[in-house]
Amino acid sequence: MAEDVSFREHSMAEPPAGEDRQRLLSHVRHARILDHLAAAGSVGVAVLAAELGVSDMTIRRDLLELERDGRLLRVHGGAVLAETPASVAMDSEEPRFDARLRRGSEAKSAIAACAAGIVAGYRTCAIDVGTTTYLMAGHLREAGHLKVFTNSLRVSTHLDGGAPEVYVAGGRVRPEEMSVWGPTAVAQFEKLWFDVAVLGTSGITSEGFFDYSFEDTDMKRVYLRRSGFKILLCDSAKFQRMSLVQVGTLADINLLITDAEPPSRIAAALAAARVELRIAPPAAGH
């Protein structure tokens, strides 16, 4: 409060007028917002508006201006510290499925088991392509009440002979990933509504989550649009990594399952977007 009083006294001693006053007030607000970010890693629109005595709309304009200057990144309900180029790694080529399956296998197994325990409580589930989603499918073979919808031929094969009913989208096959894509596949699943969708990703930053291919991204976005609850599976090796296509923002998902605490920027962005974070316990046998 003392800081507020001193600011008012300064304003009265040298009263600016018109646009000059507005620029001064904006400058002060921006400094306060950046101070909050430096201390907490994230800021909320409502909290800032109450503290600074201005409207939510004014704070949103301030955040937009600061984002344009590269000082922060806006997220749902507030903002987080901006990423710097040095803090994010870019993956330009998609490794082969078998190589990805071996990489970080313990972490992926733990995430898969945790996700399966959640999915087993639903009746209709959309399952994305990917190594961790593939491992999760193996835990669902006894879920007789479950209907599984997928564009992954690997997931459907993994469930072949199991209890769930499995429905595969029709379309063109991407050979290496064994994924089905194209307008026919999109149109088929766009007509459905899933209780839950489980997505994989190539990487995640505070800006959102990514994938290597345009083809598979189209189906991922169908799952996001047509599901009541959205789960993202991401092992910690993918934190602060991005690739060709941004699939969505963190506000597009409800739950992130991973194997370790994310970096502070991602954690702050998840909190701002109201995404639940779950750390998977080690899988049995590891």
Side-chain angles (χ1 to χ4, degrees), residues 36-51:
H36 273 278
L37 273 175
S42 65
V43 291
V45 169
V47 172
L48 287 171
E51 179 173 325

Side-chain angles (χ1 to χ4, degrees), residues 146-223:
L146 190 64
K147 289 181 172 64
V148 171
F149 298 81
T150 186
N151 64 315
S152 169
L153 298 182
R154 284 191 173 92
V155 166
S156 66
T157 301
H158 210 22
L159 289 170
D160 184 38
E165 295 179 18
V166 181
Y167 300 83
V168 180
R172 184 173 179 178
V173 176
R174 191 159 77 93
E176 170 52 34
E177 195 63 23
M178 296 299 290
S179 60
V180 181
W181 64 281
T184 302
V186 168
Q188 281 184 330
F189 278 14
E190 194 75 71
K191 296 176 182 177
L192 306 177
W193 183 259
F194 313 110
D195 293 331
V196 61
V198 186
L199 284 78
T201 183
S202 63
I204 185 171
T205 72
S206 62
E207 294 188 23
F209 55 103
F210 299 81
D211 192 70
Y212 294 103
S213 75
F214 285 112
E215 298 91 342
D216 290 342
T217 296
D218 287 341
M219 289 299 293
K220 291 174 188 286
R221 289 173 178 159
V222 170
Y223 296 152

